[in-house]
Amino acid sequence: MSFIGKAFSSCTHASNQGYSCCKDCTVVYEDEAGKWGVENDQWCGIDTTCESQSDCWAAAEGFKCCSPGVKSILTDSKGSWGIENDEWCGIVDQKDDGSCWATAQGYGCCTGCEAIMTDDNRKWGFENGNWCGIIDSVCNKQTTTTTTIKSRTTTTTKERITTTSSSSSTGSNEPSTQTKPGWTPGNDQVLPGYLSTKGRYIVDEKGRKVKLAGISWFGGETTNLSPHGLWAKPLSHFIKIIKDLGYNHIRYPWTNEMLFPGAKTQSVDQLQNPDLADLTPLEVMDAVIDACGKAGIKVYLDRHRPLSGGQSELWYVAKVDEDKWIEDWQFLAKRYKGNPTVIGADLHNEPHGTACWGCGETKRDWRLAAERCGNAIHKVNPDWLIIVEGNDHYGEEGWQKGEGYWWGGMLKGVKENPVRLNTPNKLVYSAHDYDKNVFMQDWFKVSNFPDNMPEIWDDKWGYIAKEDIAPVLIGEFGSLLMDNKDVKWLQNLISYMNKNDVHWTFWCLNPNSGDTEGILGYDWTTVNTKKDNILTPGKAPNFLLK
């Protein structure tokens, strides 16, 4: 949507010389003709309506200006618009006089100038575990900008501006200097260092007990080869939602196709994410990890599928054999070594079917394969947690004639056949658990459902935490919340995990998971507060276990 009514506005000083009008009001140069900005590396003229934005600039468009506190709904070339009394109104920004504009929205202002995201023409940073506003007038004084423009009498083509900064902050438009992929110095301020295990607990480098309570953001494992929703909203939009809702990590699903020669992402929108649209799938992963790190969110990587077409029973298929599986994991482990944002590897998503646990057959025994892969990862990156999912059955008569459970959810075999890593204090077991909307299991049909679930959870995976064998992470769980029994099931699961120090990653952020949907609606903005509120008692925004 855009607003019409430019009778009182003008950037003729630009159009007369063959330039377009700027979409915003950021002035980088002024000469005798007028004020100029730069967009998409091209000069553009600043509209004269920008002169009056301290008053009611929207009057020139035939609209009133909003009362203080009205939320921005839309931004076009004139400014930000809200709705008040069922009428569009223009939002008047207060002058940036060095005061803390963010207090009006319940936030403080930053001491530094590193911007993580921009909304409504305001820049936001993240310090001491909280969002904070960037004061441009203060930060601009810390930078030195030189602008070169050709003589107006000899040419109508302006040169690209060159900017040099005397500060290493990212308050300017220049990208921050990264020392390694997916990493900007200072990204580990919320929870510095790496994680290890002690009994059922995950601990940080100071020995403090840490709780992982996060969310999956899928898409990297699909043919898009990048997280879904980047066609609709900027990356910063999703990072802010995840952080503001109190999730402390994301699970990033990926497929080995991401690392195939010539692999390209699909559906990353050029307008919403201009910095990501031309990147490779691996570089998009870097960017997501870096953005998470800046916001104090951890990431673990989930090898969800060998190929984007679908999940596999075993950890290998014809086009991606075991050697390739391990080789790609080692590649990622090397790439993110020294980056505390990335905390671990979920080795393979949902082994099932022919995948056994403890049967001793090299080609089928998932427990043995997890040992081989986990130890190989630790040879190149000893800091990572190794996250090992279960399979889907316990007991072997031929195969899969034993006791069944969810794909990736059966960890009953750990008692007799535990995973043996050369670095044992880096092992985390992971199970997946769902409700009746995914599949009507027998235990959902009994009269006391869902109050019967704690006994089932004890039997399948909960005993590992209860007996202090190792940490347990429920790496996927979710629900459509179709009825009160679904609600009670989810409430019971959160309560059980809280009581037994079980970690979790909710499935999922995305709305487009058919049998569960997600935390976000199909506008990729609206939060399903019914789900989120049930999860809230289990969250740990600052990671530390209460």
Side-chain angles (χ1 to χ4, degrees):
M1 180 177 182
S2 60
F3 290 94
I4 309 298
K6 299 185 179 179
F8 299 100
S9 64
S10 173
C11 69
T12 54
H13 67 292
S15 57
N16 287 343
Q17 299 185 53
Y19 299 103
S20 61
C21 293
C22 298
K23 293 180 180 179
D24 64 27
C25 297
T26 303
V27 178
V28 298
Y29 183 79
E30 185 173 1
D31 60 13
E32 67 278 1
K35 296 179 179 178
W36 302 86
V38 175
E39 293 177 353
N40 299 320
D41 291 332
Q42 299 292 326
W43 287 99
C44 56
I46 300 295
D47 201 303
T48 56
T49 56
C50 292
E51 304 282 348
S52 60
Q53 282 207 8
S54 58
D55 301 313
C56 185
W57 57 269
E61 306 291 314
F63 297 90
K64 297 178 180 179
C65 277
C66 307
S67 302
V70 173
K71 184 179 179 181
S72 173
I73 302 296
L74 177 148
T75 300
D76 66 3
S77 62
K78 299 303 164 192
S80 295
W81 299 85
I83 295 178
E84 188 172 23
N85 300 322
D86 295 324
E87 297 285 345
W88 287 100
C89 56
I91 293 176
V92 180
D93 276 340
Q94 296 180 350
K95 262 192 170 181
D96 187 358
D97 56 2
S99 61
C100 185
W101 56 267
T103 55
Q105 300 186 40
Y107 298 91
C109 275
C110 305
T111 57
C113 296
E114 184 172 0
I116 292 177
M117 69 165 289
T118 301
D119 63 0
D120 303 337
N121 298 319
R122 296 291 201 181
K123 295 175 183 176
W124 294 89
F126 195 82
E127 294 178 354
N128 301 318
N130 294 295
W131 292 98
C132 54
I134 303 289
I135 306 174
D136 274 338
S137 60
V138 174
C139 291
N140 289 342
K141 292 177 183 178
Q142 299 175 15
T143 60
T144 303
T145 303
T146 61
T147 304
T148 305
I149 182 169
K150 286 185 177 179
S151 170
R152 200 171 297 281
T153 59
T154 60
T155 181
T156 59
T157 303
K158 292 183 174 64
E159 295 177 355
R160 289 182 60 174
I161 61 171
T162 58
T163 303
T164 59
S165 173
S166 61
S167 168
S168 61
S169 76
T170 56
S172 71
N173 290 327
E174 292 296 308
S176 58
T177 301
Q178 296 188 23
T179 57
K180 50 178 63 70
W183 170 249
T184 297
N187 275 12
D188 61 342
Q189 292 181 13
V190 175
L191 186 68
Y194 303 95
L195 303 177
S196 300
T197 68
K198 186 177 181 180
R200 70 175 179 270
Y201 297 109
I202 295 175
V203 296
D204 68 3
E205 290 187 346
K206 297 180 180 179
R208 297 177 299 181
K209 296 173 182 176
V210 168
K211 180 173 183 178
L212 298 180
I215 195 161
S216 288
W217 183 12
F218 74 79
E221 81 286 13
T222 70
T223 54
N224 295 80
L225 299 182
S226 58
H228 286 180
L230 294 176
W231 57 73
K233 297 291 180 181
L235 171 59
S236 59
H237 166 85
F238 296 105
I239 299 302
K240 190 172 190 298
I241 286 176
I242 293 167
K243 184 66 178 182
D244 286 350
L245 292 179
Y247 299 103
N248 64 22
H249 73 272
I250 70 167
R251 178 178 181 245
Y252 192 112
W254 63 279
T255 170
N256 297 81
E257 276 190 43
M258 180 186 83
L259 302 178
F260 285 6
K264 294 182 179 180
T265 64
Q266 297 182 32
S267 304
V268 177
D269 185 73
Q270 181 74 49
L271 294 178
Q272 294 290 344
N273 290 284
D275 296 337
L276 305 181
D278 297 325
L279 299 184
T280 66
L282 182 61
E283 290 168 336
V284 171
M285 179 184 279
D286 291 342
V288 173
I289 289 169
D290 191 40
C292 285
K294 288 179 180 178
I297 299 168
K298 299 292 188 182
V299 178
Y300 71 88
L301 306 180
D302 153 43
R303 194 288 202 123
H304 209 77
R305 300 170 175 174
L307 302 173
S308 62
Q311 293 177 217
S312 61
E313 293 185 356
L314 298 169
W315 53 97
Y316 60 90
V317 294
K319 288 187 177 181
V320 182
D321 61 17
E322 178 174 310
D323 288 345
K324 180 62 174 171
W325 171 58
I326 293 176
E327 176 187 321
D328 285 352
W329 264 127
Q330 286 188 313
F331 170 81
L332 292 173
K334 288 178 183 177
R335 186 174 185 85
Y336 300 121
K337 183 178 182 180
N339 183 344
T341 300
V342 187
I343 59 174
D346 187 346
L347 299 182
H348 176 58
N349 180 64
E350 297 184 344
H352 63 280
T354 53
C356 68
W357 187 287
C359 67
E361 298 178 28
T362 303
K363 292 184 177 181
R364 297 203 299 122
D365 196 327
W366 165 235
R367 171 245 196 172
L368 296 180
E371 292 174 351
R372 293 191 294 273
C373 186
N375 287 330
I377 289 172
H378 278 161
K379 285 182 179 179
V380 300
N381 187 343
D383 297 317
W384 273 12
L385 297 175
I386 302 299
I387 300 166
V388 181
E389 298 185 24
N391 63 337
D392 68 336
H393 65 280
Y394 173 74
E396 288 287 315
E397 295 177 20
W399 66 272
Q400 206 177 0
K401 293 182 180 179
E403 178 183 345
Y405 203 58
W406 297 106
W407 289 3
M410 176 63 81
L411 287 167
K412 198 168 179 176
V414 168
K415 186 170 290 187
E416 298 89 7
N417 296 291
V419 172
R420 301 155 299 182
L421 294 180
N422 295 334
T423 308
N425 69 333
K426 294 288 185 177
L427 172 64
V428 176
Y429 290 105
S430 179
H432 292 184
D433 225 289
Y434 283 102
D435 74 354
K436 59 185 174 59
N437 298 298
V438 175
F439 185 80
M440 182 58 74
Q441 305 277 15
D442 289 342
W443 51 88
F444 297 142
K445 301 174 185 177
V446 300
S447 60
N448 64 336
F449 172 77
D451 291 331
N452 62 324
M453 293 308 301
E455 183 177 348
I456 293 171
W457 294 327
D458 282 347
D459 181 59
K460 303 301 187 290
W461 47 262
Y463 76 93
I464 297 172
K466 282 189 164 186
E467 296 178 18
D468 207 34
I469 296 170
V472 174
L473 165 71
I474 304 306
E476 286 186 21
F477 65 104
S479 174
L480 290 170
L481 298 185
M482 297 293 287
D483 56 32
N484 289 335
K485 286 192 174 183
D486 294 345
V487 171
K488 188 66 163 58
W489 171 86
L490 185 56
Q491 290 172 333
N492 285 359
L493 180 56
I494 291 295
S495 176
Y496 181 93
M497 291 191 292
N498 281 345
K499 181 180 178 181
N500 295 292
D501 301 313
V502 173
H503 308 266
W504 54 264
T505 310
F506 186 71
W507 184 271
C508 54
L509 182 68
N510 311 46
N512 55 329
S513 178
D515 46 13
T516 63
E517 297 185 346
I519 288 297
L520 294 183
Y522 279 92
D523 60 358
W524 296 92
T525 296
T526 304
V527 174
N528 185 324
T529 54
K530 186 176 182 180
K531 286 186 183 182
D532 186 64
N533 289 343
I534 295 174
L535 299 175
T536 294
K539 295 175 184 174
N542 69 349
F543 291 94
L544 300 182
L545 192 63
K546 297 176 182 178

